[in-house]
Amino acid sequence: MKPPDAVEVGRRPMLRLKRGHDTPRSHPWIFKGDVAEVSDVEPGSEVTVVDSTGRFIGRGLYNPRPALCCRVLTWTDEPLDAAFFRRRLERALALRSRGQTQPPALCRLVWSEADGLPGLVVDRYGFVLVMQCLTLGMSRLRATIVEALIGLLGDVQVYEMDEEASARLEGFSAARGWARGSGPRSVRVNEGGVGFDVTIGVGHKTGLYLDQRENRARAGALARDRDVLDAFSYTGGFACHALYGGARRAVCIESSPEAIAGARQNLALNGFAARAEILTTNAFDELRRLERTGARFGVIVLDPPPFARNRSAVDAAARGYKEINLRALRMLEPGGSLLTFSCSHHVSEALFEEICREAAADAGVRTRVADRLSQAGDHPVLLNVPETRYLKGLLLEAF
Ligand code: SAH
C-alpha cells in the first residue's frame, strides 16, 4: 500500500464530474451519480476533481464503496499533504481559541466539513483528545493528524474512538485505543461550574454531548426553585445544570444502563444525588405515566436521539416527536419552559416547529417561542453546507 501522504508523481488521479453536476463547486460532497469517470486509485486516497470539460474544481479523498464517494477538502490547487492538514488543524484551533493561546479545556476542536476536514472529529477533554475518523480517507491519515495535533497542542494524549457504523459503511476497521502509549480511564471536566466524569472510550459521541453545552447552561439559568424533568438524559447533563442553577429537584428519564451509571456518578460528584431521581425506562412510556399521575414541572428538557435516520423514517419520527412534546406540554406549569430538540438530519427546522405547534394545539397550551436553539458555537454551521446545522431546538414558554 502506498503511504497516504505520498504526492503523486506525474499525472494525478482524477475524478471527472458529469456535465451539469455543479454542486461540488461549493459543497464538499460528491455522490456516485455525479461522477462521469474516475482514475483507478487506491480506495481512500486523493483525487483531483475536475468538471466535465476537465477544468480544476478541487481535491478530495475518494472511496468507491459508499454512495457519497468523495469529499472535497480544498478548492485550491494545493497538495493534500501533512502541511495541508496541519494548516487546517491550526485554523480549527484558532477558531476555538478566540484570542487565547489555546482552545478551551472542554470543547470540540475539529468538526468535519465545518472545519474543512470532512470525516474528522476531535473533542478536547482537558489533556485528552478524543478523535473520530468517519471516512476511509481520514482513517488512512490518522498518524498525520495525531502528529499535527500533538505538535500544535503540546502535552496531550489522543484516544481514537471511531464509530462502528461509519467504519462499516466506509470499509475500514474502527480504531479504539490510545494513539500513542496509554492515558487515563476517565477525566474530570468542568462545564460552567458543573463537574462531569468522562470515561474515555465509553458511551455516546466521544463521551459527552458537547453540542448541548450552551443549552445546558440555558436550562440551568431557568431552573431556580423549579421542578425539572430531563427526558433522554444520557449522563444527566441537563439535570446537573438545572440543580446547579437552584432547581428544587430533577427527574431524569433514560433507558441505557451505561448512561444511567454515568448520570448517577455525575449527580453524586456535584452533591446533587439527594435532589435527583433517575427513572430507568423508556421515555415514551414514562412521559405517559407521569402525565397520568398529574405530575407538573417548571422546566422540561426533551433531547431524544435522532428518530429519523433516513428520509423514509420522517413520518414515524414526526409522530414520535409529536407524542413526547404533547406529553411534555401537558405537564408544563404556567410560566414554565420547555427546551425541546431534534438532531435528525432529515427533520427540518420548519417541520420540527410545525410538529411542536400541533402538539401545543392538541395539548391546549399557549406558548411563546422564547428562543430558537442550536448546537454549540464550536460546531460551526456553513452556509453552503446546510447539513452542518443538525441540532434544532425551541425554547418554549407556557403562558
Ligand atoms: N441530553 C443529553 C444527551 C441525550 S442523547 C446530554 O445533554 O448529555 C439521547 C439519550 O436518549 C441517549 O442517552 C439514549 O440512551 C437515550 N434514549 C434513547 N431512546 C430512549 C428511550 N426510548 N427512552 C429513554 N431514553 C432513551
Side-chain angles (χ1 to χ4, degrees), residues 298-357:
V299 175
I300 301 180
V301 179
L302 295 176
D303 186 20
F307 288 158
R309 295 205 183 262
N310 51 56
R311 227 175 278 281
S312 59
V314 169
D315 285 350
R319 284 193 295 278
Y321 286 120
K322 179 160 175 199
E323 152 109 23
I324 58 174
N325 280 284
L326 174 71
R327 307 272 171 218
L329 285 159
R330 284 188 181 148
M331 288 193 280
L332 197 60
E333 289 167 349
S337 301
L338 169 64
L339 292 90
T340 180
F341 299 96
S342 163
C343 58
S344 300
H345 284 276
H346 300 282
V347 174
S348 68
E349 190 174 11
L351 174 60
F352 185 58
E353 201 164 315
E354 175 69 34
I355 295 166
C356 293
R357 185 165 31 250

Short mmCIF file of all heavy atoms in Angstrom, two decimals, residues 298-357:
data_model
loop_
_atom_site.label_atom_id
_atom_site.label_comp_id
_atom_site.label_asym_id
_atom_site.label_seq_id
_atom_site.Cartn_x
_atom_site.Cartn_y
_atom_site.Cartn_z
N GLY A 298 -41.60 22.75 36.08
CA GLY A 298 -41.37 24.14 35.67
C GLY A 298 -40.40 24.24 34.51
O GLY A 298 -40.41 25.22 33.76
N VAL A 299 -39.52 23.24 34.38
CA VAL A 299 -38.62 23.16 33.22
C VAL A 299 -38.63 21.72 32.73
O VAL A 299 -38.47 20.79 33.54
CB VAL A 299 -37.17 23.58 33.58
CG1 VAL A 299 -36.24 23.36 32.38
CG2 VAL A 299 -37.10 25.04 34.01
N ILE A 300 -38.83 21.54 31.44
CA ILE A 300 -38.77 20.19 30.86
C ILE A 300 -37.80 20.22 29.68
O ILE A 300 -37.83 21.14 28.85
CB ILE A 300 -40.16 19.71 30.38
CG1 ILE A 300 -41.16 19.70 31.56
CG2 ILE A 300 -40.07 18.32 29.75
CD1 ILE A 300 -42.58 19.25 31.20
N VAL A 301 -36.93 19.22 29.64
CA VAL A 301 -35.98 19.09 28.52
C VAL A 301 -36.30 17.79 27.79
O VAL A 301 -36.43 16.73 28.41
CB VAL A 301 -34.52 19.02 29.04
CG1 VAL A 301 -33.56 18.85 27.86
CG2 VAL A 301 -34.17 20.26 29.85
N LEU A 302 -36.46 17.91 26.47
CA LEU A 302 -36.65 16.71 25.63
C LEU A 302 -35.49 16.67 24.64
O LEU A 302 -35.43 17.49 23.72
CB LEU A 302 -37.96 16.80 24.85
CG LEU A 302 -39.28 16.79 25.63
CD1 LEU A 302 -40.45 16.99 24.65
CD2 LEU A 302 -39.46 15.48 26.40
N ASP A 303 -34.57 15.77 24.86
CA ASP A 303 -33.38 15.70 23.99
C ASP A 303 -33.19 14.28 23.47
O ASP A 303 -32.23 13.60 23.82
CB ASP A 303 -32.14 16.16 24.78
CG ASP A 303 -30.90 16.26 23.92
OD1 ASP A 303 -31.04 16.35 22.68
OD2 ASP A 303 -29.79 16.25 24.48
N PRO A 304 -34.14 13.82 22.62
CA PRO A 304 -34.09 12.42 22.19
C PRO A 304 -33.00 12.14 21.17
O PRO A 304 -32.45 13.08 20.57
CB PRO A 304 -35.47 12.23 21.55
CG PRO A 304 -35.86 13.58 21.05
CD PRO A 304 -35.28 14.56 22.02
N PRO A 305 -32.70 10.87 20.93
CA PRO A 305 -31.76 10.51 19.85
C PRO A 305 -32.44 10.81 18.51
O PRO A 305 -33.64 11.08 18.47
CB PRO A 305 -31.58 9.00 20.03
CG PRO A 305 -32.84 8.55 20.69
CD PRO A 305 -33.28 9.68 21.57
N PRO A 306 -31.70 10.77 17.39
CA PRO A 306 -32.35 11.05 16.10
C PRO A 306 -33.41 9.99 15.81
O PRO A 306 -33.09 8.81 15.73
CB PRO A 306 -31.20 10.99 15.10
CG PRO A 306 -30.08 10.29 15.78
CD PRO A 306 -30.25 10.51 17.24
N PHE A 307 -34.67 10.42 15.70
CA PHE A 307 -35.73 9.46 15.40
C PHE A 307 -35.74 9.10 13.91
O PHE A 307 -36.16 8.03 13.54
CB PHE A 307 -37.10 10.04 15.78
CG PHE A 307 -37.35 10.13 17.27
CD1 PHE A 307 -38.30 11.02 17.77
CD2 PHE A 307 -36.66 9.31 18.17
CE1 PHE A 307 -38.56 11.10 19.14
CE2 PHE A 307 -36.91 9.39 19.53
CZ PHE A 307 -37.86 10.29 20.02
N ALA A 308 -35.29 10.04 13.05
CA ALA A 308 -35.31 9.77 11.60
C ALA A 308 -33.87 9.60 11.13
O ALA A 308 -33.17 10.58 10.94
CB ALA A 308 -35.98 10.90 10.85
N ARG A 309 -33.46 8.35 10.94
CA ARG A 309 -32.08 8.13 10.48
C ARG A 309 -32.00 8.19 8.96
O ARG A 309 -30.93 8.27 8.40
CB ARG A 309 -31.54 6.81 11.02
CG ARG A 309 -31.42 6.84 12.53
CD ARG A 309 -30.38 5.88 13.08
NE ARG A 309 -30.38 5.94 14.53
CZ ARG A 309 -29.55 6.65 15.27
NH1 ARG A 309 -28.62 7.38 14.68
NH2 ARG A 309 -29.64 6.66 16.58
N ASN A 310 -33.15 8.10 8.30
CA ASN A 310 -33.17 8.31 6.85
C ASN A 310 -34.49 8.96 6.46
O ASN A 310 -35.39 9.11 7.28
CB ASN A 310 -32.94 6.98 6.10
CG ASN A 310 -33.91 5.92 6.60
OD1 ASN A 310 -35.12 6.11 6.59
ND2 ASN A 310 -33.36 4.81 7.07
N ARG A 311 -34.55 9.34 5.19
CA ARG A 311 -35.68 10.12 4.71
C ARG A 311 -37.02 9.38 4.89
O ARG A 311 -38.03 9.98 5.22
CB ARG A 311 -35.46 10.44 3.22
CG ARG A 311 -35.72 11.88 2.89
CD ARG A 311 -35.36 12.15 1.44
NE ARG A 311 -33.92 12.37 1.27
CZ ARG A 311 -33.31 13.52 1.54
NH1 ARG A 311 -33.99 14.53 2.01
NH2 ARG A 311 -32.02 13.64 1.34
N SER A 312 -36.97 8.06 4.70
CA SER A 312 -38.24 7.32 4.75
C SER A 312 -38.79 7.22 6.18
O SER A 312 -39.94 6.85 6.38
CB SER A 312 -38.05 5.92 4.15
OG SER A 312 -37.07 5.24 4.89
N ALA A 313 -37.95 7.54 7.15
CA ALA A 313 -38.39 7.42 8.55
C ALA A 313 -38.99 8.73 9.09
O ALA A 313 -39.33 8.80 10.26
CB ALA A 313 -37.21 6.98 9.41
N VAL A 314 -39.11 9.73 8.21
CA VAL A 314 -39.53 11.06 8.70
C VAL A 314 -40.94 11.05 9.29
O VAL A 314 -41.19 11.65 10.33
CB VAL A 314 -39.39 12.13 7.59
CG1 VAL A 314 -40.05 13.43 7.99
CG2 VAL A 314 -37.91 12.39 7.29
N ASP A 315 -41.88 10.33 8.64
CA ASP A 315 -43.26 10.33 9.14
C ASP A 315 -43.34 9.72 10.53
O ASP A 315 -43.99 10.27 11.43
CB ASP A 315 -44.18 9.55 8.19
CG ASP A 315 -44.46 10.35 6.92
OD1 ASP A 315 -44.11 11.55 6.91
OD2 ASP A 315 -45.01 9.78 5.97
N ALA A 316 -42.67 8.57 10.70
CA ALA A 316 -42.68 7.91 12.01
C ALA A 316 -42.00 8.80 13.04
O ALA A 316 -42.46 8.93 14.18
CB ALA A 316 -41.97 6.56 11.92
N ALA A 317 -40.93 9.46 12.62
CA ALA A 317 -40.21 10.35 13.53
C ALA A 317 -41.11 11.50 13.97
O ALA A 317 -41.15 11.86 15.14
CB ALA A 317 -38.95 10.89 12.85
N ALA A 318 -41.85 12.05 13.02
CA ALA A 318 -42.74 13.18 13.32
C ALA A 318 -43.76 12.75 14.37
O ALA A 318 -44.07 13.52 15.30
CB ALA A 318 -43.42 13.66 12.05
N ARG A 319 -44.29 11.53 14.23
CA ARG A 319 -45.26 11.05 15.24
C ARG A 319 -44.60 10.94 16.61
O ARG A 319 -45.18 11.29 17.63
CB ARG A 319 -45.83 9.69 14.81
CG ARG A 319 -46.87 9.81 13.70
CD ARG A 319 -47.64 8.50 13.52
NE ARG A 319 -46.81 7.40 13.06
CZ ARG A 319 -46.49 7.19 11.78
NH1 ARG A 319 -46.95 8.00 10.84
NH2 ARG A 319 -45.72 6.16 11.43
N GLY A 320 -43.35 10.46 16.61
CA GLY A 320 -42.60 10.33 17.88
C GLY A 320 -42.37 11.69 18.53
O GLY A 320 -42.63 11.88 19.73
N TYR A 321 -41.92 12.66 17.74
CA TYR A 321 -41.67 14.00 18.29
C TYR A 321 -42.97 14.60 18.81
O TYR A 321 -43.01 15.23 19.85
CB TYR A 321 -41.08 14.92 17.23
CG TYR A 321 -39.62 14.63 16.91
CD1 TYR A 321 -39.21 14.28 15.63
CD2 TYR A 321 -38.65 14.71 17.91
CE1 TYR A 321 -37.88 14.01 15.34
CE2 TYR A 321 -37.31 14.44 17.63
CZ TYR A 321 -36.94 14.09 16.34
OH TYR A 321 -35.63 13.83 16.06
N LYS A 322 -44.05 14.37 18.05
CA LYS A 322 -45.32 14.97 18.47
C LYS A 322 -45.77 14.38 19.80
O LYS A 322 -46.17 15.11 20.71
CB LYS A 322 -46.39 14.77 17.41
CG LYS A 322 -47.70 15.38 17.85
CD LYS A 322 -48.65 15.64 16.74
CE LYS A 322 -49.96 16.12 17.34
NZ LYS A 322 -51.06 15.99 16.43
N GLU A 323 -45.65 13.08 19.90
CA GLU A 323 -46.10 12.40 21.13
C GLU A 323 -45.35 12.92 22.37
O GLU A 323 -45.96 13.30 23.37
CB GLU A 323 -45.88 10.89 20.94
CG GLU A 323 -45.63 10.09 22.20
CD GLU A 323 -46.80 9.21 22.57
OE1 GLU A 323 -47.58 8.88 21.67
OE2 GLU A 323 -46.90 8.86 23.76
N ILE A 324 -44.03 12.99 22.30
CA ILE A 324 -43.30 13.41 23.51
C ILE A 324 -43.52 14.89 23.82
O ILE A 324 -43.62 15.28 24.98
CB ILE A 324 -41.78 13.06 23.45
CG1 ILE A 324 -41.09 13.70 22.25
CG2 ILE A 324 -41.58 11.56 23.46
CD1 ILE A 324 -39.57 13.51 22.24
N ASN A 325 -43.66 15.70 22.76
CA ASN A 325 -43.88 17.13 23.01
C ASN A 325 -45.28 17.40 23.57
O ASN A 325 -45.45 18.27 24.42
CB ASN A 325 -43.63 17.93 21.73
CG ASN A 325 -42.14 18.16 21.51
OD1 ASN A 325 -41.53 19.00 22.18
ND2 ASN A 325 -41.53 17.37 20.65
N LEU A 326 -46.24 16.61 23.10
CA LEU A 326 -47.60 16.73 23.62
C LEU A 326 -47.62 16.42 25.13
O LEU A 326 -48.17 17.19 25.92
CB LEU A 326 -48.50 15.74 22.86
CG LEU A 326 -49.93 15.59 23.33
CD1 LEU A 326 -50.73 16.84 22.98
CD2 LEU A 326 -50.58 14.37 22.68
N ARG A 327 -46.98 15.31 25.49
CA ARG A 327 -46.96 14.92 26.93
C ARG A 327 -46.26 16.00 27.75
O ARG A 327 -46.71 16.39 28.81
CB ARG A 327 -46.20 13.61 27.13
CG ARG A 327 -46.68 12.48 26.28
CD ARG A 327 -47.81 11.71 26.91
NE ARG A 327 -48.34 10.78 25.94
CZ ARG A 327 -49.62 10.48 25.81
NH1 ARG A 327 -50.52 11.04 26.59
NH2 ARG A 327 -50.00 9.61 24.90
N ALA A 328 -45.12 16.46 27.23
CA ALA A 328 -44.33 17.45 27.99
C ALA A 328 -45.13 18.73 28.17
O ALA A 328 -45.19 19.28 29.27
CB ALA A 328 -43.02 17.73 27.26
N LEU A 329 -45.77 19.19 27.10
CA LEU A 329 -46.53 20.45 27.19
C LEU A 329 -47.68 20.34 28.18
O LEU A 329 -48.00 21.29 28.88
CB LEU A 329 -47.04 20.85 25.80
CG LEU A 329 -45.94 21.41 24.89
CD1 LEU A 329 -46.34 21.32 23.42
CD2 LEU A 329 -45.62 22.86 25.26
N ARG A 330 -48.28 19.15 28.26
CA ARG A 330 -49.38 18.97 29.22
C ARG A 330 -48.88 19.00 30.66
O ARG A 330 -49.65 19.26 31.58
CB ARG A 330 -50.09 17.64 28.96
CG ARG A 330 -51.01 17.70 27.75
CD ARG A 330 -51.82 16.43 27.68
NE ARG A 330 -52.71 16.40 26.54
CZ ARG A 330 -53.05 15.29 25.90
NH1 ARG A 330 -52.56 14.12 26.29
NH2 ARG A 330 -53.87 15.34 24.88
N MET A 331 -47.60 18.68 30.84
CA MET A 331 -47.05 18.66 32.22
C MET A 331 -46.35 19.96 32.59
O MET A 331 -45.80 20.09 33.68
CB MET A 331 -46.06 17.50 32.36
CG MET A 331 -46.75 16.14 32.38
SD MET A 331 -45.63 14.84 32.91
CE MET A 331 -44.71 14.52 31.43
N LEU A 332 -46.31 20.91 31.65
CA LEU A 332 -45.58 22.16 31.89
C LEU A 332 -46.43 23.13 32.72
O LEU A 332 -47.58 23.41 32.36
CB LEU A 332 -45.24 22.77 30.53
CG LEU A 332 -44.16 23.83 30.48
CD1 LEU A 332 -42.82 23.29 30.99
CD2 LEU A 332 -44.00 24.34 29.04
N GLU A 333 -45.85 23.63 33.80
CA GLU A 333 -46.58 24.61 34.62
C GLU A 333 -46.73 25.92 33.85
O GLU A 333 -45.86 26.25 33.04
CB GLU A 333 -45.76 24.92 35.89
CG GLU A 333 -45.73 23.79 36.87
CD GLU A 333 -44.67 24.01 37.94
OE1 GLU A 333 -43.83 24.93 37.80
OE2 GLU A 333 -44.69 23.23 38.89
N PRO A 334 -47.77 26.70 34.13
CA PRO A 334 -47.86 28.03 33.52
C PRO A 334 -46.59 28.82 33.87
O PRO A 334 -46.14 28.77 35.01
CB PRO A 334 -49.09 28.65 34.17
CG PRO A 334 -49.89 27.48 34.69
CD PRO A 334 -48.92 26.40 35.02
N GLY A 335 -46.03 29.49 32.92
CA GLY A 335 -44.77 30.22 33.16
C GLY A 335 -43.54 29.33 33.04
O GLY A 335 -42.42 29.81 33.13
N GLY A 336 -43.77 28.05 32.83
CA GLY A 336 -42.65 27.10 32.73
C GLY A 336 -42.03 27.09 31.33
O GLY A 336 -42.58 27.65 30.39
N SER A 337 -40.86 26.44 31.23
CA SER A 337 -40.11 26.42 29.97
C SER A 337 -39.90 25.00 29.48
O SER A 337 -39.51 24.12 30.25
CB SER A 337 -38.73 27.05 30.17
OG SER A 337 -38.86 28.38 30.61
N LEU A 338 -40.12 24.82 28.19
CA LEU A 338 -39.80 23.54 27.54
C LEU A 338 -38.64 23.77 26.59
O LEU A 338 -38.70 24.64 25.71
CB LEU A 338 -41.02 23.02 26.76
CG LEU A 338 -40.78 21.83 25.82
CD1 LEU A 338 -40.35 20.58 26.59
CD2 LEU A 338 -42.03 21.52 25.00
N LEU A 339 -37.55 23.00 26.78
CA LEU A 339 -36.45 23.02 25.83
C LEU A 339 -36.55 21.72 25.06
O LEU A 339 -36.33 20.64 25.61
CB LEU A 339 -35.09 23.10 26.53
CG LEU A 339 -34.77 24.41 27.27
CD1 LEU A 339 -35.27 24.34 28.71
CD2 LEU A 339 -33.27 24.68 27.28
N THR A 340 -36.94 21.84 23.78
CA THR A 340 -37.20 20.63 23.01
C THR A 340 -36.32 20.59 21.77
O THR A 340 -36.14 21.60 21.10
CB THR A 340 -38.70 20.52 22.65
OG1 THR A 340 -38.90 19.32 21.90
CG2 THR A 340 -39.23 21.71 21.86
N PHE A 341 -35.75 19.40 21.49
CA PHE A 341 -34.72 19.30 20.45
C PHE A 341 -35.01 18.18 19.45
O PHE A 341 -35.67 17.20 19.78
CB PHE A 341 -33.35 19.00 21.09
CG PHE A 341 -32.89 20.07 22.02
CD1 PHE A 341 -33.11 19.96 23.39
CD2 PHE A 341 -32.27 21.21 21.54
CE1 PHE A 341 -32.70 20.95 24.26
CE2 PHE A 341 -31.85 22.22 22.41
CZ PHE A 341 -32.07 22.09 23.76
N SER A 342 -34.44 18.36 18.26
CA SER A 342 -34.35 17.28 17.28
C SER A 342 -32.96 17.33 16.66
O SER A 342 -32.52 18.39 16.22
CB SER A 342 -35.39 17.44 16.18
OG SER A 342 -35.03 16.62 15.07
N CYS A 343 -32.29 16.19 16.63
CA CYS A 343 -30.98 16.14 15.95
C CYS A 343 -31.07 15.28 14.69
O CYS A 343 -30.05 14.85 14.16
CB CYS A 343 -29.89 15.65 16.90
SG CYS A 343 -30.22 14.03 17.58
N SER A 344 -32.31 15.03 14.23
CA SER A 344 -32.48 14.25 12.99
C SER A 344 -32.16 15.13 11.79
O SER A 344 -32.80 16.18 11.59
CB SER A 344 -33.93 13.77 12.85
OG SER A 344 -34.31 12.96 13.92
N HIS A 345 -31.20 14.71 10.99
CA HIS A 345 -30.83 15.48 9.79
C HIS A 345 -32.03 15.69 8.88
O HIS A 345 -32.15 16.71 8.23
CB HIS A 345 -29.76 14.74 9.00
CG HIS A 345 -28.40 14.83 9.61
ND1 HIS A 345 -27.58 15.89 9.39
CD2 HIS A 345 -27.74 14.01 10.45
CE1 HIS A 345 -26.45 15.73 10.06
NE2 HIS A 345 -26.53 14.59 10.72
N HIS A 346 -32.89 14.69 8.84
CA HIS A 346 -33.97 14.73 7.85
C HIS A 346 -35.21 15.45 8.33
O HIS A 346 -36.19 15.56 7.60
CB HIS A 346 -34.31 13.30 7.40
CG HIS A 346 -33.13 12.62 6.78
ND1 HIS A 346 -32.72 12.87 5.50
CD2 HIS A 346 -32.24 11.74 7.29
CE1 HIS A 346 -31.63 12.17 5.24
NE2 HIS A 346 -31.32 11.47 6.31
N VAL A 347 -35.20 15.91 9.57
CA VAL A 347 -36.32 16.73 10.07
C VAL A 347 -35.85 18.18 10.07
O VAL A 347 -34.96 18.55 10.82
CB VAL A 347 -36.74 16.27 11.49
CG1 VAL A 347 -37.79 17.21 12.07
CG2 VAL A 347 -37.27 14.84 11.45
N SER A 348 -36.45 18.96 9.19
CA SER A 348 -36.01 20.36 9.05
C SER A 348 -36.49 21.18 10.24
O SER A 348 -37.38 20.76 10.99
CB SER A 348 -36.59 20.95 7.76
OG SER A 348 -37.99 21.06 7.91
N GLU A 349 -35.91 22.36 10.35
CA GLU A 349 -36.32 23.26 11.43
C GLU A 349 -37.81 23.60 11.29
O GLU A 349 -38.55 23.62 12.28
CB GLU A 349 -35.47 24.53 11.33
CG GLU A 349 -35.62 25.42 12.52
CD GLU A 349 -34.66 26.61 12.47
OE1 GLU A 349 -34.03 26.86 11.43
OE2 GLU A 349 -34.56 27.28 13.50
N ALA A 350 -38.23 23.83 10.05
CA ALA A 350 -39.63 24.21 9.81
C ALA A 350 -40.56 23.05 10.20
O ALA A 350 -41.59 23.27 10.84
CB ALA A 350 -39.82 24.57 8.34
N LEU A 351 -40.17 21.84 9.82
CA LEU A 351 -41.02 20.68 10.16
C LEU A 351 -41.06 20.49 11.68
O LEU A 351 -42.12 20.24 12.25
CB LEU A 351 -40.48 19.41 9.47
CG LEU A 351 -41.19 18.11 9.85
CD1 LEU A 351 -42.68 18.16 9.51
CD2 LEU A 351 -40.55 16.90 9.13
N PHE A 352 -39.92 20.65 12.32
CA PHE A 352 -39.89 20.46 13.77
C PHE A 352 -40.80 21.48 14.46
O PHE A 352 -41.57 21.13 15.36
CB PHE A 352 -38.45 20.58 14.28
CG PHE A 352 -38.31 20.28 15.75
CD1 PHE A 352 -38.71 19.05 16.26
CD2 PHE A 352 -37.82 21.23 16.64
CE1 PHE A 352 -38.62 18.76 17.62
CE2 PHE A 352 -37.71 20.95 17.99
CZ PHE A 352 -38.11 19.71 18.48
N GLU A 353 -40.76 22.70 13.97
CA GLU A 353 -41.60 23.74 14.57
C GLU A 353 -43.08 23.42 14.33
O GLU A 353 -43.92 23.60 15.22
CB GLU A 353 -41.22 25.10 13.97
CG GLU A 353 -41.66 26.23 14.86
CD GLU A 353 -40.99 27.55 14.51
OE1 GLU A 353 -39.76 27.57 14.30
OE2 GLU A 353 -41.70 28.56 14.46
N GLU A 354 -43.37 22.92 13.15
CA GLU A 354 -44.75 22.54 12.81
C GLU A 354 -45.25 21.43 13.77
O GLU A 354 -46.38 21.49 14.27
CB GLU A 354 -44.74 22.04 11.35
CG GLU A 354 -46.05 21.48 10.82
CD GLU A 354 -47.10 22.56 10.67
OE1 GLU A 354 -46.73 23.69 10.34
OE2 GLU A 354 -48.29 22.26 10.92
N ILE A 355 -44.39 20.46 14.01
CA ILE A 355 -44.75 19.34 14.91
C ILE A 355 -45.04 19.89 16.32
O ILE A 355 -46.03 19.53 16.95
CB ILE A 355 -43.60 18.30 14.97
CG1 ILE A 355 -43.42 17.63 13.61
CG2 ILE A 355 -43.88 17.26 16.05
CD1 ILE A 355 -42.11 16.85 13.48
N CYS A 356 -44.18 20.79 16.78
CA CYS A 356 -44.37 21.35 18.13
C CYS A 356 -45.64 22.18 18.19
O CYS A 356 -46.35 22.18 19.20
CB CYS A 356 -43.15 22.18 18.54
SG CYS A 356 -41.67 21.18 18.76
N ARG A 357 -45.93 22.88 17.08
CA ARG A 357 -47.15 23.70 17.03
C ARG A 357 -48.38 22.81 17.16
O ARG A 357 -49.30 23.09 17.92
CB ARG A 357 -47.17 24.47 15.70
CG ARG A 357 -48.32 25.43 15.58
CD ARG A 357 -48.19 26.45 14.45
NE ARG A 357 -47.46 26.01 13.28
CZ ARG A 357 -46.26 26.48 12.94
NH1 ARG A 357 -45.65 27.35 13.68
NH2 ARG A 357 -45.67 26.04 11.86
#
